[in-house]
Amino acid sequence: IVHVSGESEPATMGNAVHALLARHCDPGVSTLFTVDQMAERWGVDPHELEFLFSRGCALWDEVKHFFPTPRVEQYMEFTDGPVHIEGTADVGDQDGDEIRVLDWKSGRKQVGHINQVKGYAWLQYKLSPIKTRAFAVTVAWLRFGTWETHRFTADELEAWYDEWCRRVANNGE
């Protein structure tokens, strides 16, 4: 899973809106920050942050029924295979036999995310104490106000991981 690092403006805006949404989605958080407080803390445009946060709140209202007991900002790491995979799930939950992840996207393009989506599902598959065979990753596009859900079986995730390992070995990705 590729992580954005550095101090680029889009990455900083993404961090700021993720921090606001994590607090908004977590029923156990009692300290909420205002958009202006977060904008000042992260050094981002408060108007853009307000736009992204309000879109995120509206999207959360549409998908929160899929996450009845949400866990936010879950760091996951898999190191037992030939490729080290790590990531932080924005929101995670389990409903019956299905493990679910929500990934907020604050960028301007709706492309290039499928391996990250599969990576989150793979991490849940390998690290969950509950051995389920069904995984769903919902991607919420903040700028566009839309969301999509990708569903995977354990067999599909195994095939993805095997192929990912081959690609990394062959290309040094």
Side-chain angles (χ1 to χ4, degrees):
I1 294 177
V2 176
H3 289 276
V4 176
S5 61
E7 298 300 316
S8 73
E9 185 178 334
T12 302
M13 181 60 74
N15 289 336
V17 74
H18 276 78
L20 280 170
L21 288 169
R23 287 168 176 80
H24 178 75
C25 298
D26 187 343
V29 172
S30 59
T31 305
L32 298 177
F33 295 94
T34 67
V35 169
D36 288 336
Q37 288 170 322
M38 282 300 220
E40 184 176 338
R41 177 179 177 191
W42 287 94
V44 298
D45 176 11
H47 300 293
E48 184 178 5
L49 182 59
E50 173 65 36
F51 169 75
L52 293 172
F53 179 59
S54 65
R55 282 280 178 94
C57 291
L59 287 167
W60 178 245
D61 285 343
E62 291 180 32
V63 302
K64 67 183 175 185
H65 64 279
F66 296 121
F67 303 90
T69 54
R71 295 175 312 278
V72 299
E73 297 298 315
Q74 292 183 287
Y75 176 76
M76 301 174 290
E77 181 177 31
F78 178 78
T79 59
D80 292 342
V83 175
H84 176 119
I85 298 181
E86 64 183 56
T88 301
D90 297 330
V91 180
D93 202 352
Q94 180 179 355
D95 189 28
D97 290 334
E98 185 174 68
I99 292 179
R100 298 174 178 168
V101 173
L102 173 65
D103 186 28
W104 301 113
K105 295 290 187 195
S106 59
R108 299 180 188 278
K109 296 181 181 177
Q110 292 179 292
V111 297
H113 63 286
I114 196 64
N115 281 320
Q116 184 181 30
V117 166
K118 288 179 180 178
Y120 285 135
W122 168 261
L123 287 165
Q124 291 287 350
Y125 167 56
K126 292 311 262 187
L127 301 175
S128 175
I130 298 150
K131 294 305 168 197
T132 186
R133 307 288 296 170
F135 304 86
V137 180
T138 298
V139 179
W141 301 99
L142 300 177
R143 291 187 186 279
F144 305 97
T146 61
W147 58 275
E148 62 194 39
T149 298
H150 303 269
R151 296 189 185 287
F152 308 102
T153 65
D155 291 340
E156 289 169 326
L157 294 174
E158 288 284 359
W160 170 82
Y161 183 73
D162 290 346
E163 177 60 26
W164 186 252
C165 290
R166 277 192 292 283
R167 288 180 56 203
V168 170
N170 293 333
N171 298 324
E173 293 180 338

